Amino acid sequence: MQTIYDLTPDQMTVMLKELGQKPYRAKQLYTWLYRKRAEDFSEMTDLPASLIETLKERYCIMPVKLLEKQTAKDGTAKYLFELQDGSTIETVLMHFVFGESVCVSTEVGCSMGCAFCASGLLKKQRNLTAGEITGEIMYIQKELDAEEKRVDNVVLMGTGEPFDNYDNIMDFCSIINSDHGLAIGARHITISTCGVVPKIREFAAGHYQYNLAISLHAPNDELRRQLMPIDQAYPLPELMAALKEYSSQNNRRLTFEYILLKGVNDSDAMAIQLADLIRGMNAYVNLIPYNEVDENGFRTTDAKTSLHFYDVLMKHGVKATLRTRHGEDIDAACGQLRAKHEGKLPQ
């Protein structure tokens, strides 16, 4: 059954109009769903009984069910959810001084095939709907309600390539950004892509205020092609041209995500190549410690080398941040918990 979380504010208004309802009912319904966190249509006491019965016939509310939750010593929590068709997805809650941040999955499995990523161990089965992605957020928000906290930031960096599921992720962003929904500010929503150039250009033309992050992980095509097969379709010159178009059209700062892999992409030469690649752009590099997955053989760069890589970038005129490690004592790598559940990794 379709989840009502699938509907954007505009889609909600259209649906209710088709049912002969006034437009203001959409605001009422959104308030019940996202402000009052209703779990059953029967709770919606200011809606007509006939409308409630119709909604029950057509829609469910929560589309995800918790199968497993792992909590790390630092408070990072990883959730394994089951969807209505039996598929499983992962979601991560991280605690920062600036608030609660949730990393959502956008697809069931992933076909990008990045060499270092556990998500690629399970190929893409299908896209998630906007409502299924919203369900990831709503489940965690209901947990946070007990602590009088809220989801402050959302990153679309979990399993899947968001721009391979473009329409649904844009609907999802509209839902959680809506003033009548969770009212998460556009600049607190970050969409990450491996570099799907046509969709980057489409996103640029939309002039959205959401943040855009690029999973780069290598400063040249030779290495990037070994790590990320998407580079064969969209090599760096083509990707960088699209990103420069995006910047010129939107005046928004880009984030380049760069996972540090020991002995692979963490040398001084790589840092200098990376600086040369993005110098002059309105962008910064987010250096990410690698969460190891034994099956692929990559190892994380040690703290000293990571800091040195950061220093080289800064000295060559490129701003960078060095992300703190999260969830080291749980299945922290993207897709790792799901892969174990599906039998693709040892328990």
Side-chain angles (χ1 to χ4, degrees):
M1 181 179 284
Q2 183 182 10
T3 170
I4 199 164
Y5 288 155
D6 274 335
L7 303 183
T8 67
D10 289 344
Q11 292 166 353
M12 188 80 77
T13 301
V14 169
M15 179 272 289
L16 290 167
K17 183 178 180 181
E18 290 173 349
L19 294 176
Q21 300 294 323
K22 298 293 184 182
Y24 72 87
R25 293 292 186 198
K27 179 179 177 181
Q28 286 182 307
L29 193 44
Y30 248 63
T31 298
W32 277 109
L33 291 170
Y34 297 106
R35 298 295 179 87
K36 299 181 180 180
R37 328 276 201 234
E39 298 183 356
D40 191 294
F41 292 112
S42 297
E43 299 175 33
M44 303 178 182
T45 53
D46 56 357
L47 298 184
S50 58
L51 174 59
I52 289 174
E53 290 308 309
T54 300
L55 293 174
K56 286 181 178 180
E57 292 171 2
R58 293 190 176 191
Y59 302 102
C60 67
I61 295 181
M62 180 58 74
V64 306
K65 179 176 73 173
L66 184 67
L67 289 181
E68 184 177 348
K69 178 180 177 182
Q70 295 182 345
T71 303
K73 293 176 182 177
D74 64 8
T76 298
K78 174 168 273 195
Y79 300 77
L80 181 68
F81 291 124
E82 183 179 54
L83 306 174
Q84 293 183 83
D85 65 356
S87 301
T88 57
I89 56 172
E90 289 180 358
T91 312
V92 180
L93 169 64
M94 294 166 286
H95 308 284
F96 295 95
V97 293
F98 53 79
E100 310 300 314
S101 183
V102 176
C103 177
V104 297
S105 293
T106 56
E107 297 176 333
V108 178
C110 182
S111 292
M112 292 297 103
C114 297
F116 48 82
C117 184
S119 294
L121 295 171
L122 296 164
K123 298 303 180 185
K124 178 179 174 179
Q125 298 171 30
R126 66 173 178 86
N127 291 329
L128 294 181
T129 71
E132 288 173 325
I133 306 171
T134 302
E136 298 178 60
I137 297 291
M138 292 304 296
Y139 187 99
I140 292 172
Q141 180 57 68
K142 289 177 182 181
E143 279 197 355
L144 291 175
D145 285 340
E147 303 175 48
E148 297 185 350
K149 295 179 179 178
R150 59 164 284 164
V151 175
D152 299 288
N153 298 274
V154 175
V155 293
L156 287 77
M157 297 182 184
T159 299
E161 163 54 54
F163 278 179
D164 196 29
N165 186 17
Y166 187 84
D167 291 341
N168 284 330
I169 68 112
M170 296 313 296
D171 281 351
F172 160 72
C173 291
S174 174
I175 291 164
I176 65 170
N177 176 235
S178 168
D179 288 340
H180 303 308
L182 291 176
I184 297 172
R187 298 193 179 194
H188 291 263
I189 299 171
T190 299
I191 302 170
S192 175
T193 176
C194 290
V196 183
V197 167
K199 291 304 179 181
I200 291 173
R201 291 199 164 103
E202 184 175 346
F203 184 75
H207 300 289
Y208 300 103
Q209 293 299 301
Y210 310 124
N211 302 312
L212 181 61
I214 310 301
S215 294
L216 192 64
H217 311 311
N220 60 67
D221 278 320
E222 181 182 1
L223 177 58
R224 194 166 193 265
R225 202 154 293 178
Q226 295 173 33
L227 297 176
M228 304 178 70
I230 194 172
D231 190 81
Q232 298 178 35
Y234 306 112
L236 279 176
E238 189 176 345
L239 173 60
M240 298 307 291
L243 294 174
K244 288 173 182 177
E245 289 177 23
Y246 167 82
S247 294
S248 66
Q249 293 179 46
N250 292 273
N251 194 31
R252 302 279 293 129
R253 186 173 69 163
L254 286 163
T255 300
F256 286 96
E257 298 167 311
Y258 196 95
I259 291 176
L260 289 165
L261 303 169
K262 184 177 181 179
V264 177
N265 66 353
D266 60 352
S267 67
D268 284 18
M270 291 288 177
I272 293 169
Q273 285 184 40
L274 180 57
D276 290 342
L277 182 68
I278 68 174
R279 187 184 294 110
M281 297 182 69
N282 183 16
Y284 76 101
V285 178
N286 186 16
L287 299 172
I288 304 171
Y290 179 57
N291 288 310
E292 295 181 0
V293 179
D294 289 340
E295 282 66 25
N296 61 32
F298 293 102
R299 293 294 175 258
T300 189
T301 298
D302 61 80
K304 182 179 179 180
T305 304
S306 298
L307 186 57
H308 178 72
F309 193 95
Y310 165 88
D311 286 338
V312 173
L313 286 178
M314 296 291 281
K315 288 174 182 176
H316 282 79
V318 171
K319 293 181 179 178
T321 58
L322 188 56
R323 184 186 292 180
T324 304
R325 294 181 69 88
H326 287 273
E328 291 183 79
D329 52 322
I330 59 174
D331 294 313
C334 185
Q336 191 173 16
L337 177 58
R338 178 171 178 262
K340 281 190 174 182
H341 178 80
E342 299 289 334
K344 298 295 183 180
L345 289 175
Q347 299 292 323

